[in-house]
Amino acid sequence: MTELPSPGLRQGEPSSRAARRLLLVHAHPDDESINNGATMARYAAEGAHVTLVTCTLGERGEVIPPELRHLTGPALGAHRRGELAAAVRELGVGDARLLGGAGRYGDSGMMGIPDNGDPGCFWQADVDEAASHLVEVILEVRPQVLVTYDDNGGYGHPDHIQAHRVAMRAIDLAAERGHRIEKVYWNRVPRAVAVAAFARLKDELPALPFGESAAVDEVPGVVDDQRITTVIDGTAYAAAKAAAMRAHATQVAVAEPYFALSNDRAQPLFTTEYYELVRGEVQVGESDLFAGVGMDAGTGEGS
């Protein structure tokens, strides 16, 4: 099995001594590439230390390629772990972790199905216990910036909601233990941008290998434009994002600048990525997640 990259740092040691350190918390393999692939590639290329924590292996995901549909349960999870390793390589990210270790928390499936009640699934995890594993990563990496989902998980998936809860709780617990994360962002897409992108998709759909178009409100994190605080131009990293998404072949079919999930409904592949700052001081017209961050935090001072 392809292993995820990890620098193997000691607690409290600044990650790669990099001045800027970004932590992203996601629910399943593929979420990182779809939501933040261009952002991750950009900051990795600029020399920031980018750490990804994925909470489950996505064992209940629906598989797209017919030749891989025999993969279910743990076998699918193991395969998706390999896809995740390939994706982060495409993004240039050298630090990817699984919350609590591989297989600690199982995929919960979509909201409202019996799988949500599995005692081993992430949805059923004790939030403080799960957050404790993330706190250890925070104290090791000492990020100034954290990115995760909103309180609805972007679109209501139980694992995404739980990832939000665990991340926000871990931020508070880490502060109690001496490291304050300066800025916390939620993934967003401004509604006007989504509407314009779907209008272009409608015109181009006949030439695409997808059955139909998704709807704007199927895109996780769509909000009114005024809630957007930060815009990350990742167009220079469009190829890296698309390659990372292709690495998740069980879950994503890519036909740039569009993609589809297992429902075969096309949606835009955004290479400019959008965020809402929910903790920290926003800078006017932010185009950098680290805007206003005190870079003396590399030693833990001022953090």
Side-chain angles (χ1 to χ4, degrees):
M1 176 186 298
T2 303
E3 293 298 323
L4 297 177
S6 175
L9 302 176
R10 297 184 301 273
Q11 182 168 308
E13 180 184 6
S15 305
S16 305
R17 277 63 61 188
R20 298 185 298 171
R21 298 181 303 284
L22 170 64
L23 173 62
L24 303 99
V25 180
H26 276 291
H28 315 103
D30 78 11
D31 292 324
E32 80 297 327
S33 299
I34 294 170
N35 286 277
N36 311 114
T39 299
M40 295 171 70
R42 170 184 157 176
Y43 282 110
E46 291 178 355
H49 185 92
V50 179
T51 299
L52 169 68
V53 173
T54 305
C55 298
T56 82
L57 288 173
E59 303 91 337
R60 292 188 167 102
E62 296 181 353
V63 176
I64 295 174
E67 66 273 16
L68 295 176
R69 288 179 187 162
H70 65 281
L71 295 171
T72 59
L76 177 56
H79 188 88
R80 293 189 69 181
R81 184 179 181 186
E83 291 183 336
L84 179 60
V88 296
R89 283 198 305 273
E90 295 288 356
L91 299 175
V93 171
D95 186 7
R97 326 280 183 100
L98 297 168
L99 184 69
R104 181 66 178 248
Y105 301 108
D107 187 345
S108 307
M110 299 300 289
M111 186 67 83
I113 66 173
D115 291 334
N116 300 163
D118 183 339
C121 78
F122 191 44
W123 183 239
Q124 293 296 325
D126 178 81
V127 169
D128 276 9
E129 189 270 341
S132 71
H133 299 300
L134 185 57
V135 169
E136 295 308 312
V137 177
I138 292 171
L139 295 180
E140 175 187 324
V141 175
R142 306 188 76 78
Q144 301 108 330
V145 177
L146 183 146
V147 171
T148 191
Y149 316 106
D150 65 14
D151 55 1
N152 190 44
Y155 71 112
H157 192 293
D159 288 331
H160 287 240
I161 295 170
Q162 188 78 320
H164 161 86
R165 293 172 178 171
V166 168
M168 300 306 289
R169 180 60 175 148
I171 291 163
D172 292 338
L173 293 174
E176 292 174 6
R177 293 180 59 182
H179 180 74
R180 182 180 64 86
I181 295 175
E182 296 184 50
K183 303 182 82 174
V184 178
Y185 292 94
W186 291 346
N187 296 304
R188 293 300 192 195
V189 177
R191 185 167 296 278
V193 168
V195 168
F198 274 94
R200 292 191 296 272
L201 169 58
K202 181 179 179 181
D203 292 337
E204 297 176 20
L205 186 62
L208 296 175
F210 305 124
E212 59 183 338
S213 173
V216 168
D217 287 334
E218 291 178 51
V219 176
V222 172
V223 293
D224 292 341
D225 294 26
Q226 61 267 28
R227 294 187 62 174
I228 304 301
T229 61
T230 312
V231 179
I232 300 300
D233 182 359
T235 52
Y237 303 96
K241 175 169 181 170
M245 290 173 63
R246 283 194 178 95
H248 292 288
T250 60
Q251 307 298 303
V252 184
V254 178
E256 294 174 75
Y258 302 104
F259 73 99
L261 302 174
S262 61
N263 59 12
D264 198 36
R265 289 168 61 82
Q267 55 183 291
L269 192 163
F270 294 108
T271 55
T272 296
E273 294 170 345
Y274 303 87
Y275 300 90
E276 179 182 1
L277 182 72
V278 294
R279 294 195 188 183
E281 184 175 344
V282 69
Q283 309 295 306
V284 176
E286 273 195 2
S287 58
D288 178 7
L289 298 179
F290 292 89
V293 166
M295 291 306 167
D296 60 343
T299 61
E301 298 175 2
S303 63

